[in-house]
Amino acid sequence: MLARALELAERGQGTTRPNPMVGAVVVREGDVVGEGWHERKGGPHAEIVALEAAGERASGATMYLTMEPCTHHGDTPPCTAALLKAGIARVVAGAIDPNPKAGGGLEELRAAGVEVELVDSFEARAQNEAWRTWVSQGRPFVTYKAAMTLDGRLSIPGERWISGDESRRLVHRLRADSDAVAVGMGTVRADSPRLDARDVVATRQPRRLAFGKGPLPEGSALELRAGLLADELTTLAGEGVQSLLLEGGPTLAAAFFREDFVDKVLVFVAPRVSGAGPALLTEPVVPRRLTRFEARPVGEDVVLSAYVHEP
């Protein structure tokens, strides 16, 4: 049932901003009697949609949720009150709500006599990984992306691309799904990158940023962010940037790693050797073990992914 709730939540992809995606399933005596998901900010939450679908059958039922119900009055009333009014007897949640203004729903329900269970599902947390970092830490969720040869180089003399067509198409999809994309001034001067999402369906373009000391080249469409990284990330979060895709070179990557602002790493490894050029990280950073390591083929390449900070 929790897997079904995650599937329902995914239907809110791209439409719930700045709210998280949430799905809900109501089960009574083994039968699904109501389902729902959050569709848009200001609209009913997943719990309310599912309760309305269940009607009187919600009394004594179990609700499966991707995230615990909220406790605060925002654009809509608290969902905990609606669950108590409907007579829900048991709640199974995939994740807690990290929002300090809305969390604690399971504790409130338990205190009111409802049986509660927290599964603490990684899939449920990862579904809203950017939102969770944004709302709990006041900064964007940062993904560092790089393309690398087998000998660990970020460039090949005389060539523009390291990775293949399918990898580059995936990067454009990542850009379309991100609130902002950023590079450092070294990359700006060397490559004049556009950083927009091309040749993929994109409902919006990401903000395109350059971190470092300017000036930007004449005619550049990038935004210069010249302040301290912590200050700039706080400002971006206040402007609604929940996810930041970092495409800069090793100097910018090392700066983000040193300040512990990288949450996830994606490295596209191509079946090529370079023999020259910068490495993935040319400046020292604190050694650490990453988690949730995965490797999967993308065309002729392999993409490696891991978390520095799990959501």
Side-chain angles (χ1 to χ4, degrees):
M1 290 300 102
L2 185 57
R4 174 57 179 169
L6 286 165
E7 180 183 321
L8 291 167
E10 201 64 31
R11 298 182 185 182
Q13 180 72 253
T15 65
T16 64
R17 287 184 51 83
N19 293 348
M21 295 176 285
V22 180
V25 179
V26 180
V27 177
R28 181 172 177 178
E29 298 177 353
D31 295 325
V32 175
V33 296
E35 294 184 335
W37 67 93
H38 183 45
E39 294 186 24
R40 59 179 177 81
K41 175 179 170 56
H45 289 188
E47 300 94 317
I48 306 306
V49 177
L51 288 175
E52 289 179 351
E56 294 183 357
R57 295 173 295 179
S59 180
T62 296
M63 176 176 283
Y64 294 85
L65 280 164
T66 56
M67 188 163 64
E68 69 175 335
C70 65
T71 60
H72 80 311
H73 281 272
D75 292 328
T76 59
C79 291
T80 49
L83 267 64
L84 292 173
K85 182 178 180 181
I88 289 290
R90 179 170 177 253
V91 171
V92 179
I96 62 169
D97 187 340
N99 186 348
K101 297 179 180 179
L106 292 183
E107 292 302 319
E108 184 174 302
L109 293 174
R110 181 183 287 113
V114 177
E115 180 184 350
V116 301
E117 178 182 351
L118 174 64
V119 177
D120 193 22
S121 158
F122 170 74
E123 290 76 15
R125 288 183 278 117
Q127 190 172 58
N128 290 298
E129 60 189 12
W131 175 84
R132 295 181 72 87
T133 296
W134 177 71
V135 78
S136 64
Q137 299 188 36
R139 67 167 177 84
F141 181 90
V142 177
T143 299
Y144 172 54
K145 185 278 301 178
M148 184 178 73
T149 62
L150 281 177
D151 56 341
R153 305 292 182 170
L154 301 185
S155 66
I156 299 176
E159 298 191 31
R160 183 177 183 184
W161 307 114
I162 292 178
S163 52
D165 291 342
E166 290 190 37
S167 291
R168 296 201 299 274
R169 189 175 302 112
L170 177 55
V171 169
H172 283 281
R173 179 71 263 161
L174 291 170
R175 289 178 179 178
D177 292 338
S178 299
D179 295 328
V181 182
V183 295
M185 285 302 300
T187 300
V188 171
R189 297 185 183 104
D191 300 332
S192 299
R194 290 167 53 183
L195 303 184
D196 56 344
R198 303 186 296 277
D199 302 321
V200 295
V201 177
T203 57
R204 61 191 174 98
Q205 286 291 334
R207 289 177 60 176
R208 293 166 288 167
L209 315 175
F211 284 94
K213 304 300 181 184
L216 289 168
E218 185 176 352
S220 174
L222 307 186
E223 302 175 34
L224 182 64
R225 315 298 300 203
L228 298 174
L229 285 184
D231 295 340
E232 293 291 358
L233 292 180
T234 298
T235 299
L236 289 169
E239 295 168 354
V241 175
Q242 296 184 12
S243 55
L244 173 64
L245 180 64
L246 193 65
E247 295 194 25
T251 301
L252 183 63
F256 269 77
F257 271 106
R258 278 197 304 272
E259 299 201 33
D260 204 20
F261 289 145
V262 176
D263 299 294
K264 189 175 183 179
V265 177
L266 294 175
V267 179
F268 292 81
V269 183
R272 311 182 69 180
V273 293
S274 171
L280 191 65
L281 291 171
T282 55
E283 298 182 23
V285 298
V286 176
R288 65 186 306 161
R289 181 179 295 275
L290 308 190
T291 62
R292 305 284 177 177
F293 178 72
E294 293 184 357
R296 64 184 178 93
V298 179
E300 63 183 10
D301 307 321
V302 172
V303 60
L304 309 177
S305 65
Y307 284 88
V308 182
H309 303 295
E310 289 190 24

